[in-house]
């Protein structure tokens, strides 16, 4: 490798170094607002203070706060005992930081929280430096969900399978009452537990993880890039200086992987004790590799024999102390921490002393080594001052990491310079740079707890004495025969009732417009109706009216060529499994003629949900259908709000009683959509829970309706039905839905489907052909319903003009 090539490599390394430092600083300072915005420092003022999570709450940081604590001297208290009302008086506000709590002692903490927002939220409890933690979250059934975490807990036993954090995920329903959460914690090492409690929204926590992974990914990726690069140089040049440098980079990487929990999460999850107590010694092994690297880099045995002897003595003493520390950490962790601080300070002193004679050498490669060491010591000094509280820094370890990265890149520049100076003596040596950036793939497994419902049935056994059975055997036999006879009669009556209901279903279907006819009356459309009990309390209505005062010469010419006879229509209802032929109605004849005449039409589409379902609901549909025919077909009323007023008046009159207290309060909730083919506009009015959904440009809008229902109401004296007018664009899609789907219980937890899921589902299927949309609606309903019974009639209409 000649000097020219070596110069290019050196220039590339400098460029990479500058770009990297700029990226790290940029990422770090851009992440600061996110980090500080996650939670707000808070101090509990009373033992029963409620932590309220409102719409603007970012979380709580209780690091310096007093917490409601109670000491469990026996370590045998259970959640059932701690949660009792008479036990609560034992809690008192106590400090949990600055070595206030005893090691190896069990403590219980109590927090009262409340979600005042209108949506369900997941929150993360970050639980600081504690070896064993149990978080108990109350459930609606009076029991508690248990979340297990801790620094010395195996990953397989944790509720959230992560080795990096002591966290518990808490679910708070929207606008729920006050929840009392209990936290049981203990340090199984002789060190005071530091709960360092933070409560953070799950979304913000996930953003934290992303930033942590990004920063540490950069850090580890660059370390391993330099490791492989220098390992390749070692293989190529057979210079053991590089292998010591590789060992130093490798041990540094292992130390930071352990410090941030990646080692525990990905490699040593089942051996947390080993990772916690012994893996950090990789930093000390790195220092030994650092001393060997320095000897070979500076060729101290040749250039400075005295200092080379000093370095070798320091290496032997340091190795002996390292063995003693490993023994000490196995015996007493507290004493190890005290000695470790002194040990760390000693390392810094040794490095400073070495800098003196390194600068004394005066060579350029030696200066690179000195600058790199100063950068690392500077980062370590910031870490030490921040950890000691002398200066206030956020995430002290980041400064040390920046110092290490700067040191490694400076060393790389020094090695490059050193190699350039040796080029005259080594003309045939080559160095190949292989850069491989490996991104760590983070694993995050979430465990959702399934609620199991167990129903125990008790059977009652009736035993009678043998003599009573003998005496009354004939009576029992007679009763049995009578019961069998009545069972036959009941079965016969049941079959007759079922046949009557099936016949009523056929009668009801004959009133409804043909689904195929309605679907073909629009550019695209579908009608889906599923009754709960054979006959339906939901119904749809459709009609077309020619535009008033519309004249056209072209339509008069076309009218002269229209057919004189109209064949009978073959009706097939997609809801009921039979076919029948009836003469075309006057409305259908008018529809056929209007199509021939090409007269712009008013298309009126109705989606209605009557009170109740089954036979009672079916009676209401017949009445509602009849009244709509009277209002629209006979009275020629086409404005949707006026139709609602007329329908409300008619329903009240039909169900009116002389005694107001006996007035029937049945009615219906209904949505009416009128499409004007001439103006390309729709007018819509609805009552009750019948909004109109519109999908436009891959967004869904909901147009609310009047909250008043059709029919008598003792609470409402005067109702207001308003209409809205909307322009229709070519790709607009409109949906009308009764509340049967959104109120259907199902899913894994047996909850209602809800309006939010309905909006998202309609938006998801809106791009499909309408025939496929209808099948997706059926599939979604059946999948959601699963093992649960249908709770109400379901009606859904979708159209595109």
């Amino acid at each position: 490798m000649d000097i020219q090539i070596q110069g290019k490599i050196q220039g590339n390394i400098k460029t990479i170094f500058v770009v990297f430092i700029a990226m790290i600083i940029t990422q770090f300072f851009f992440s600061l607002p996110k980090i500080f915005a996650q939670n707000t420092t808070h101090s509990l003022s009373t033992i029963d203070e409620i932590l309220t999570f409102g719409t603007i709450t970012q979380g709580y940081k209780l690091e310096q706060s007093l917490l409601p604590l109670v000491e469990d001297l026996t370590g045998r208290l259970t959640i059932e005992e701690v949660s009792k009302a008479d036990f609560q008086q034992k809690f008192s506000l106590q400090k949990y930081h600055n070595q206030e709590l005893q090691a190896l002692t069990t403590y219980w903490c109590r927090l009262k929280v409340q979600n005042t927002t209108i949506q369900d939220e997941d929150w993360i409890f970050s639980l600081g430096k504690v070896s064993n933690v149990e978080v108990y979250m109350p459930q609606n059934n009076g029991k508690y969900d248990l979340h297990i975490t801790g620094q010395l807990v195996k990953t397989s036993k944790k509720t959230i399978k992560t080795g990096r954090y002591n966290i518990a995920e808490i679910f708070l329903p929207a606008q729920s009452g006050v929840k009392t959460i209990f936290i049981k914690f203990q340090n199984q090492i002789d060190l005071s537990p530091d709960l360092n409690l933070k409560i953070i929204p799950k979304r913000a926590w996930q953003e934290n993880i992303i930033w942590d992974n990004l920063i540490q990914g950069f850090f580890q990726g660059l370390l391993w890039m330099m490791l492989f690069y220098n390992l390749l140089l070692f293989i190529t040049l057979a210079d053991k200086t590089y292998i010591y440098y590789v060992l130093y980079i490798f041990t540094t990487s292992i130390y930071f992987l352990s410090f941030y929990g990646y080692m525990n999460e990905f490699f040593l999850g089942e051996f947390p004790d080993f990772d916690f107590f012994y893996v950090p010694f990789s930093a000390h092994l790195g220092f030994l590799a650092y001393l060997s690297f320095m000897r070979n880099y500076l060729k101290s045995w040749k250039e400075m024999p005295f200092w080379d002897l000093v370095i070798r003595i320091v290496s032997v003493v340091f190795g002996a102390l390292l063995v003693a520390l490993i023994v000490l950490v196995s015996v007493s962790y507290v004493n190890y921490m005290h000695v470790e601080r002194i040990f760390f300070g000693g390392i810094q002193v040794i490095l400073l002393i070495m800098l003196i004679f390194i600068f004394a050498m005066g060579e350029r490669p030696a200066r690179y080594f000195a600058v790199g060491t100063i950068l690392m010591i500077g980062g370590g000094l910031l870490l030490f001052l921040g950890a000691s509280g002398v200066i206030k820094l956020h995430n002290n370890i980041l400064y040390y990491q920046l110092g290490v990265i700067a040191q490694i890149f400076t060393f790389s520049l020094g090695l490059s310079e050193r190699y350039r100076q040796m080029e005259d003596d080594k003309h045939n040596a080559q160095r190949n740079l292989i850069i491989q950036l490996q991104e760590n793939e983070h694993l995050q497994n979430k465990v959702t707890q399934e609620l199991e419902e167990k129903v125990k049935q008790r059977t009652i056994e009736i035993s009678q004495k043998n003599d009573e059975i003998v005496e009354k055997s004939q009576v029992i036999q007679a009763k049995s025969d009578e019961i069998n006879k009545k069972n036959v009669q009941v079965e016969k009556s049941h079959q007759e009732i079922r046949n009557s209901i099936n016949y009523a279903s056929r009668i009801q279907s004959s009133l409804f417009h043909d689904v195929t006819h309605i679907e073909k009356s629009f550019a695209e459309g579908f009608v889906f109706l599923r009754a709960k009990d054979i006959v339906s309390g939901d119904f749809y209505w459709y009609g077309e009216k020619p535009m008033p005062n519309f004249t056209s010469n072209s339509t008069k010419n076309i009218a002269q060529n229209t057919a004189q006879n109209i064949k009978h229509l073959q009706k097939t209802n997609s809801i009921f499994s039979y076919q029948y032929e009836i003469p075309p109605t006057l409305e259908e004849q008018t529809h056929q003629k209007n199509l021939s005449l090409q007269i712009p039409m008013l298309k009126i589409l109705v989606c209605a949900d009557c009170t109740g379902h089954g036979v009672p609901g079916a009676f209401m549909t017949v009445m509602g259908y009849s009244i709509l025919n009277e209002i629209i077909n006979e009275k020629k009323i086409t404005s949707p709000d006026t139709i609602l007023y007329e329908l409300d008046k008619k329903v009240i009159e039909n169900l009116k009683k002389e005694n107001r207290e006996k007035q029937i309060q049945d009615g219906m909730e209904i949505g009416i959509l009128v499409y004007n083919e001439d103006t390309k506009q729709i007018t819509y009015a609805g009552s009750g829970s019948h909004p109109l959904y519109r999908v436009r440009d891959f967004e869904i809008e909901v147009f609310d309706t009047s909250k008043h229902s059709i029919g008598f109401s003792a609470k409402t004296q005067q109702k207001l039905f308003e209409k809205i007018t909307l322009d229709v664009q070519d790709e607009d899609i409109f949906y009308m839905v009764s509340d049967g789907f959104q109120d259907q219980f199902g899913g894994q937890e047996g909850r209602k489907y809800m309006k939010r899921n309905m909006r998202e589902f309609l938006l998801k299927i809106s791009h499909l052909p309408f025939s496929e949309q209808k099948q997706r609606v059926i599939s979604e309903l059946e999948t959601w319903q699963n093992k649960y019974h249908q709770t109400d009639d379901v009606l859904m209409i979708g159209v595109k003009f």
Side-chain angles (χ1 to χ4, degrees):
M1 185 182 296
D2 57 22
I3 296 177
Q4 184 178 6
I5 297 176
Q6 175 61 27
K8 291 182 179 179
I9 293 177
Q10 182 179 8
N12 291 335
I13 293 176
K14 290 180 180 179
T15 302
I16 294 173
F17 171 71
V18 173
V19 172
F20 167 73
I21 293 298
M23 291 175 64
I24 286 294
I25 294 175
T26 302
Q27 294 293 342
F28 175 69
F29 283 102
F30 269 100
S31 68
L32 285 181
K34 293 180 176 291
I35 295 173
F36 285 116
Q38 288 172 358
N39 46 71
T40 303
T41 302
H42 185 80
S43 180
L44 294 179
S45 57
T46 65
I47 193 171
D48 292 316
E49 181 179 348
I50 299 172
L51 301 178
T52 302
F53 301 98
T55 56
I56 62 173
T57 300
Q58 296 297 321
Y60 290 96
K61 179 180 179 183
L62 302 174
E63 183 178 3
Q64 301 297 325
S65 173
L66 299 174
L67 291 180
L69 298 176
V70 63
E71 185 177 4
D72 182 5
L73 297 176
T74 65
R76 299 178 180 177
L77 288 175
T78 64
I79 183 59
E80 289 76 16
E81 296 173 325
V82 173
S83 61
K84 289 181 179 179
D86 55 356
F87 189 89
Q88 305 310 302
Q89 59 186 357
K90 297 182 180 181
F91 283 92
S92 61
L93 289 177
Q94 301 181 38
K95 292 182 179 180
Y96 67 89
H97 54 279
N98 298 328
Q99 308 296 321
E100 294 290 336
L101 303 182
Q102 299 297 320
L104 307 177
T105 301
T106 302
Y107 292 90
W108 287 83
C109 174
R110 184 192 69 191
L111 291 175
K112 294 185 177 182
V113 300
Q114 183 179 19
N115 183 7
T116 59
T117 64
I118 61 175
Q119 60 182 4
D120 299 344
E121 287 285 349
D122 288 314
W123 295 81
I124 297 295
F125 275 42
S126 176
L127 299 162
K129 299 178 181 179
V130 185
S131 66
N132 297 80
V133 184
E134 296 177 2
V135 181
Y136 294 88
M137 179 67 182
Q139 301 298 306
N140 294 331
N141 57 7
K143 297 182 180 180
Y144 286 81
D145 274 347
L146 173 60
H147 302 260
I148 300 176
T149 186
Q151 289 177 293
L152 299 184
V153 176
K154 294 182 178 180
T155 301
S156 61
K157 295 183 178 180
K158 291 183 179 182
T159 304
I160 299 179
K161 309 300 182 185
T162 176
R164 283 188 280 168
Y165 315 101
N166 285 347
I167 60 173
E169 182 176 345
I170 302 300
F171 172 75
L172 294 178
Q175 297 182 339
S176 59
V178 177
K179 303 284 187 181
T180 302
I181 300 174
F182 295 92
I183 303 175
K184 178 182 178 181
F185 62 95
Q186 178 197 34
N187 254 7
Q188 293 185 352
I189 55 178
D190 53 344
L191 191 67
S192 176
D194 185 6
L195 198 58
N196 193 17
L197 184 60
K198 299 176 184 177
I199 308 174
I200 307 170
K202 185 177 179 179
R203 294 185 301 272
W205 177 256
Q206 291 173 334
E207 292 179 6
N208 254 2
I209 294 176
I210 292 173
W211 281 107
D212 285 346
N213 291 340
L214 179 62
I215 294 174
Q216 296 309 314
F218 271 117
F219 179 77
Q220 291 292 333
L222 287 163
L223 283 182
W224 283 85
M225 178 187 71
M226 298 307 302
L227 186 150
F228 285 118
Y229 169 68
N230 286 278
L231 181 61
L232 180 62
L233 291 178
F234 168 73
I235 296 172
T236 304
L237 303 177
D239 186 349
K240 59 183 179 180
T241 302
Y242 293 95
I243 196 62
Y244 291 126
Y245 189 40
V246 166
L247 290 174
Y248 173 67
I249 296 174
F250 176 76
T251 53
T252 301
S253 173
I254 295 299
Y255 172 78
F256 283 108
L257 285 174
S258 175
F259 181 87
Y260 281 99
Y262 291 96
M263 184 67 68
N264 188 15
E265 179 163 349
F266 299 112
F267 304 105
L268 301 174
E270 297 306 300
F271 307 95
D273 293 348
F274 180 82
D275 178 68
F276 184 82
F277 292 108
Y278 301 107
V279 175
F281 284 103
S282 59
H284 305 312
L285 294 174
F287 183 68
L288 289 175
Y290 176 86
L291 293 176
S292 299
F293 166 68
M294 181 172 61
R295 289 187 66 238
N296 285 271
Y297 177 85
L298 300 175
K299 296 186 180 298
S300 58
W301 63 85
K302 178 180 179 181
E303 303 293 337
M304 48 184 75
F306 172 78
W307 287 107
D308 180 70
L309 177 63
V310 172
I311 294 173
R312 283 187 290 168
I313 293 175
V314 169
S315 299
V316 173
V317 174
F318 191 89
L321 289 175
L322 179 58
V323 174
L325 281 176
I326 294 175
V327 174
L328 181 61
V329 77
S330 304
V331 177
S332 174
Y333 190 81
V334 172
N335 292 330
Y336 158 75
M337 291 297 294
H338 292 306
V339 176
E340 171 67 16
R341 293 189 182 96
I342 299 174
F343 200 71
F344 181 80
I347 292 174
Q348 303 298 318
V349 172
I350 292 172
L351 291 177
L352 288 174
I353 293 174
M354 291 179 180
L355 285 177
I356 296 174
F357 73 82
I358 290 173
F359 269 112
M361 292 182 64
E363 295 181 357
R364 190 171 180 180
R367 289 170 183 163
Y368 275 112
F369 188 91
V371 170
T373 305
I374 291 174
L375 290 172
M376 189 268 288
I377 292 176
L381 182 61
L382 289 175
L383 169 63
F384 180 79
L385 294 176
S388 303
V390 177
I391 60 177
K392 187 175 181 181
L393 297 173
H394 179 77
N395 205 348
N396 306 316
I397 194 68
L398 279 179
Y399 297 91
Y400 184 56
Q401 284 184 275
L402 289 174
V404 169
I405 286 293
Q407 177 201 42
I408 289 175
F409 271 91
T410 304
F411 282 177
S412 298
L413 295 176
L415 286 171
S416 178
E417 181 68 19
R418 173 177 175 269
Y419 186 86
R420 191 187 65 80
Q421 291 183 354
M422 296 170 59
E423 192 66 21
D424 293 339
D425 301 325
K426 298 178 180 179
H427 296 287
N428 299 322
Q430 293 182 347
R431 297 201 322 178
N432 297 319
L433 176 62
I434 300 176
I435 301 175
Q436 179 63 45
L437 182 62
Q438 298 179 337
E439 297 181 352
N440 295 325
E441 179 182 359
H442 68 278
L443 303 173
Q444 199 173 29
N445 298 324
K446 299 179 181 179
V447 178
T448 58
Q449 300 181 344
E450 299 180 354
L451 300 176
E452 299 180 352
E453 299 180 356
K454 298 180 180 178
V455 180
K456 298 180 180 179
Q457 298 181 347
R458 298 181 179 180
T459 59
I460 303 174
E461 299 179 353
I462 303 176
S463 62
Q464 296 180 341
K465 297 180 180 180
N466 292 333
D467 54 348
E468 291 179 352
I469 295 174
V470 172
E471 290 178 2
K472 298 181 179 179
S473 60
Q474 294 181 353
V475 176
I476 293 173
Q477 185 62 42
K479 293 289 186 182
S480 178
D481 294 340
E482 184 180 353
I483 290 173
N484 289 335
K485 183 178 179 181
K486 290 183 177 179
N487 284 340
V488 172
Q489 294 174 351
V490 169
E491 180 63 28
K492 182 179 180 181
S493 299
H494 176 75
Q495 186 61 40
E496 291 176 352
I497 292 172
R498 189 171 188 84
N499 291 339
S500 298
I501 295 176
N502 287 332
Y503 187 72
S505 175
R506 291 193 289 271
I507 294 174
Q508 185 187 42
S509 68
S510 68
L511 295 175
F512 292 169
H513 289 80
D514 180 23
V515 170
T516 304
H517 169 69
I518 295 176
E519 293 175 347
K520 291 183 177 180
S521 296
F522 300 92
E524 286 189 88
F526 73 85
V527 177
F528 170 69
L529 173 60
R530 176 167 289 181
K532 178 182 183 296
D533 298 317
I534 302 178
V535 289
S536 172
D538 289 3
F539 72 92
Y540 54 86
W541 190 99
Y542 177 70
E544 296 182 357
K545 299 296 177 185
M547 286 291 300
N549 301 324
F550 182 85
T551 60
S552 172
N553 293 329
S554 60
T555 56
K556 292 179 182 180
N557 294 331
I558 295 172
Q560 294 175 1
N561 298 320
T562 56
Q564 300 300 320
N565 298 317
I566 300 177
K567 295 182 180 181
H568 289 186
L569 299 176
Q570 173 73 24
K571 282 200 171 183
T572 301
N573 194 309
S574 63
I575 306 165
F576 304 96
S577 58
Y578 58 86
Q579 297 181 347
Y580 58 94
E581 292 187 0
I582 64 170
T585 63
L586 178 60
E587 180 183 343
E588 291 168 337
Q589 295 178 21
T590 302
H591 172 67
Q592 294 293 332
K593 293 177 179 179
N594 288 335
L595 289 178
S596 300
L597 294 174
Q598 298 184 354
I599 298 176
M601 305 295 290
L602 288 176
K603 295 186 176 183
I604 305 172
L605 187 58
V606 176
C607 175
D609 180 2
C610 296
T611 303
H613 47 75
V615 174
F619 279 118
M620 289 296 296
T621 66
V622 173
M623 181 181 67
Y625 211 88
S626 175
I627 295 174
L628 285 173
N629 282 332
E630 177 185 347
I631 294 172
I632 299 174
N633 293 334
E634 296 179 14
K635 293 185 177 182
K636 310 299 182 182
I637 297 175
T638 58
S639 180
D641 54 338
T642 308
I643 294 174
L644 289 180
Y645 282 116
E646 288 293 321
L647 180 61
D648 183 57
K649 180 174 66 175
K650 286 291 185 181
V651 170
I652 295 174
E653 289 177 357
N654 289 348
L655 301 178
K656 185 175 182 181
K657 297 293 184 181
E658 294 181 359
N659 187 347
R660 181 178 176 85
E661 295 180 355
K662 296 182 179 181
Q663 174 72 48
I664 298 176
Q665 298 194 31
D666 287 343
M668 64 188 70
E669 296 179 347
I670 186 170
I672 302 175
L673 182 149
V674 179
Y675 173 62
N676 189 322
E677 288 188 332
D678 186 28
T679 62
K680 304 298 182 182
Q681 290 182 327
I682 67 166
T683 53
Y684 180 82
S687 66
S689 56
H690 266 263
L692 175 66
Y693 297 91
R694 180 180 71 184
V695 178
R696 174 182 289 177
D697 296 331
F698 302 102
E699 294 185 357
I700 189 166
E701 297 178 84
V702 182
F703 300 95
D704 292 324
T705 62
S706 170
K707 298 302 181 182
H708 303 299
S709 298
I710 299 299
F712 176 78
S713 174
K715 297 180 180 180
T716 304
Q717 300 298 326
Q718 186 173 1
K719 302 176 183 178
L720 177 62
F721 301 113
E722 296 180 341
K723 67 179 180 180
I724 59 174
T725 301
L726 303 172
D727 292 328
V728 178
Q729 297 181 6
D730 289 342
E731 297 302 320
D732 285 353
I733 299 174
F734 296 89
Y735 297 97
M736 294 191 292
V737 185
S738 68
D739 58 6
F741 197 152
Q742 65 194 34
D743 290 342
Q744 175 63 47
F745 288 94
Q748 294 183 351
E749 300 180 354
R751 297 183 176 182
K752 288 185 177 182
Y753 192 78
M754 306 301 289
K755 291 182 179 179
R756 181 180 63 183
N757 290 333
M758 178 61 67
R759 292 195 303 270
E760 294 174 355
F761 172 68
L762 291 177
L763 181 60
K764 183 171 64 176
I765 69 171
S766 61
H767 68 285
L768 300 173
F770 274 63
S771 59
E772 187 173 345
Q773 287 191 34
K774 187 172 183 177
Q775 294 303 317
R776 291 290 292 273
V777 170
I778 296 173
S779 175
E780 178 77 2
L781 177 60
E782 293 175 350
T783 301
W784 176 260
Q785 184 176 337
N786 195 5
K787 62 182 178 180
Y788 294 89
H789 296 293
Q790 185 172 339
T791 56
D792 198 358
D793 303 317
V794 176
L795 174 59
M796 181 181 294
I797 302 173
V799 293
K800 179 179 178 182
F801 300 103

